[in-house]
Amino acid sequence: SDVCSADLSLKMYYLKKKKSDKPKKRQTSQATLVKKLDKVFSQYIRLRDAFPNGTFRCISCGRIKPFEQADAGHYHSRKHNATRFDEDNVSSECRACNRFCADHLIGYRENLIKKIGTQRFQLLEVKAHGTKKWSCFELEQLIKYYSVLVKKLSEEKGIKL
């Protein structure tokens, strides 16, 4: 009976080990992919919104500032996975508004509605409150897609990243 229980506990150890090891590995690569996509998506948004002379207009305060001062500001925060990589949800925003201005969403909302219209704004609202679980495949495809766009826009607008 001792051999049997030792054998069983050994089996349980390996079963538990395998189960806990596998998701950790997948999550790490998924977290890495999200980080990579965050970076290339941010580059895309900032280039998309940039003027060819290397400036941009902040979605919140409306000021024209140099490209280097642009953040990719999210209307619905990045914690909302469903809208994290939604182009309607992210616009170029000056660092001051995005990082330090508590009421920046007031101007952001007004200008976002002007930019995308009421219907798309309302759809974004609904989408933000939904749930989305990104697969590694989806993240990899989006990274490829936005990398191509970043290269194209960077060359077209003459803005180096």
Side-chain angles (χ1 to χ4, degrees), residues 60-74:
S60 295
C61 68
R63 291 192 190 101
I64 305 255
K65 297 200 174 181
F67 179 80
E68 297 72 39
Q69 290 178 29
D71 271 352
H74 292 69

Side-chain angles (χ1 to χ4, degrees), residues 18-72:
K18 270 186 186 170
K19 275 183 185 167
S20 67
D21 279 358
K22 213 172 185 185
K24 269 185 199 166
K25 195 176 178 189
R26 202 178 91 232
Q27 278 179 329
T28 305
S29 66
Q30 189 163 16
T32 305
L33 289 171
V34 167
K35 211 173 184 177
K36 268 187 188 172
L37 181 53
D38 271 337
K39 186 181 178 185
V40 74
F41 185 68
S42 165
Q43 290 173 334
Y44 165 73
I45 294 296
R46 291 177 290 133
L47 283 166
R48 176 197 72 185
D49 296 349
F51 302 123
N53 67 356
T55 62
F56 75 100
R57 181 185 302 276
C58 174
I59 187 95
S60 295
C61 68
R63 291 192 190 101
I64 305 255
K65 297 200 174 181
F67 179 80
E68 297 72 39
Q69 290 178 29
D71 271 352

